[in-house]
Amino acid sequence: MTPLGREIAARIASAGPLPIDEFMRLCLSHPEHGYYRKQMPVGAAGDFITAPEISQVFGELIGLWAAEVWSTMGRPEAVHLVELGPGRGTLMADALRAISKVAPAFRTALYVHLVEINPALRQLQDKALRNTAPEWHDDFASFPDGPLIVIANEFFDALPVRQLVRNPGGWCERVVALDGEQFRFASGAPVSHAAEAAIGSIMEIAPAREALAHTIAQRLAAQRGAALLIDYGPLVSGLGDTLQAVRDHKKVDPLAEPGLADLTTHVDFAALAAIARTAGVQTHGPVPQGIFLQRLGIMARAATLMQKATPQQAAALGNAIGRLIEPEQMGTLFKVLALTDRLQPLPPGFDPSP
Ligand code: SAH
């Protein structure tokens, strides 16, 4: 067992099985052994590859999206550009480079804030963002006042979820129990929930994600601004167990190595959008990532880069763009949701609300 596994086993032995969200929270952010405190999640040498690591075009287009939003906000003189979970700092570096070229006045107006709990990643971000003087935060709660633009790529999927399982007698909390030296899934205490579903169905609910979406939306409503949330998940809410663990670019057993593997679930964008609206913002999308990037002009940007590329570089770029937009790759599974304050027009990449 991993050191965190032993700690969790001792807790279960003394206090009983752990709800899934508590298990996830310990695995991901335990102060000493949590996955996001210690491991190197992103990149070829990490456990998984993310969109900004696939091509510079991803961060560039998001930078231009932010520039357009700033412009339609009335070009405020000072604006916070906030990234939640910036990984290696690649997205922000690519975004700032594009912003400097295309929207220098926005570049002058913006202050970069990074929400990150991993000290090794903070160092990489510092390196990637030299000359930018970013300000780091442990969470989103303590931001200075003022208009803001928030970016989160593959951040919400790493916040814990609860799972409910439908038993013959009704819904129960799904928990992690201990069988000798092995963890296993089990049903815990009954939970009242009105949803109808077949016996054995699993439902995921995400209070931690909803609380964050609500906090961001309240800030946007009060101080103006927009947020762009990109993650994998369905267009409409549904049932099902989407908990998965990834280590070294392979799927592994979520219970086998607490603290050493990334644990995530799909993001229920419809639920987050509904919560955000109750806090007084407009929501746009979710739209599939492939469509969003094409609307932002990914093909034109790729064509420009191709002009200066060697045949080998051109092939690699074509391959990377395919990974970002093709339906069978990241183009359909990944979705993009925007939150904007009520004065903002429709942001680039989204459809007018029906
Ligand atoms: N956005 C990056 C990285 C995604 S991985 C990319 O697209 O490449 C998730 C990121 O969120 C990592 O930087 C991780 O360290 C950070 N993170 C995870 N949980 C966090 C938490 N609870 N608070 C702050 N940062 C967190």
Side-chain angles (χ1 to χ4, degrees), residues 36 42 48 50 52 83 85-87 115-118 121 153-155:
Y36 280 113
V42 187
F48 54 93
T50 54
E83 187 176 357
V115 174
E116 178 59 69
I117 55 170
N118 182 316
L121 286 179
N153 186 58
E154 291 210 43
F155 181 77

